[in-house]
Amino acid sequence: MLKTFVSALRPSLVMTAGFALLLGGAYPLAITAAAQALFPHQANGSLIERNGRVIGSDLLAQGFTAPGYFHPRPSAANYDASASAGSNLGPASAALAQRIAKDATALRAQGYPDVPPAMVTTSASGLDPHISPEAALLQAPRVAQARHMPVERVEALVRAAIETPLAGVLGENRINVLRLNLALDGAGHAGA
């Protein structure tokens, strides 16, 4: 009986160890090596450097608040990547409705008559680095005034920053806020 058990156990242990090495070691190493060789920027977090210093990532929103910069969507994670999460508040939540109404009222008080949903709603991760072109164009007059630039120049930068849907069908037109703000800084007018 013991001999039968041991003879049945041995192949199971060998298969478990083999698959552990294959799927827990060799496969992840091969995929990591392929990603590093084919897509090094993306494999390393899509980090953006300026003057040899990492200033952000294409994949994570930052909380820009100065008037001379475009502002991202609100963040339920306070733009903290280690706390990535949505608010978990559903569409029937009174707390969510109050927060959205408060944010919309604050934006209207700043002179935005029509507030796009992306300016008052958070993304599922709380770290969406994109805003809609409409949300960016809405902010263009404020940014232009703070930077002492013609609004047409800022709007041109917004239009140049529009990313189109993948393959023309997957997703929506969007603008990476960090990339747009870097383009503004490169335009020669300091952000306030």
Side-chain angles (χ1 to χ4, degrees), residues 16 77 105 118 126 130 134 137 158:
T16 299
T105 300
H130 297 98
E134 297 79 20
L137 288 170
V158 168

Side-chain angles (χ1 to χ4, degrees), residues 36-130:
Q36 288 292 336
L38 298 173
F39 310 103
H41 177 69
Q42 293 88 340
N44 292 304
S46 299
L47 301 177
I48 299 171
E49 292 185 14
R50 180 184 259 178
N51 301 324
R53 193 176 125 246
V54 174
I55 59 165
S57 168
D58 278 332
L59 306 173
L60 299 172
Q62 295 183 23
F64 291 98
T65 57
Y69 286 103
F70 285 89
H71 299 170
R73 294 176 69 163
S75 173
N78 199 28
Y79 307 104
D80 180 1
S82 66
S84 172
S87 67
N88 289 331
L89 299 175
S93 168
L96 177 63
Q98 289 171 354
R99 194 213 28 94
I100 289 173
K102 178 183 168 193
D103 289 354
T105 300
L107 286 170
R108 284 188 194 98
Q110 294 174 28
Y112 300 119
D114 297 316
V115 179
M119 294 297 294
V120 292
T121 57
T122 62
S123 64
S125 68
L127 299 170
D128 185 357
H130 297 98

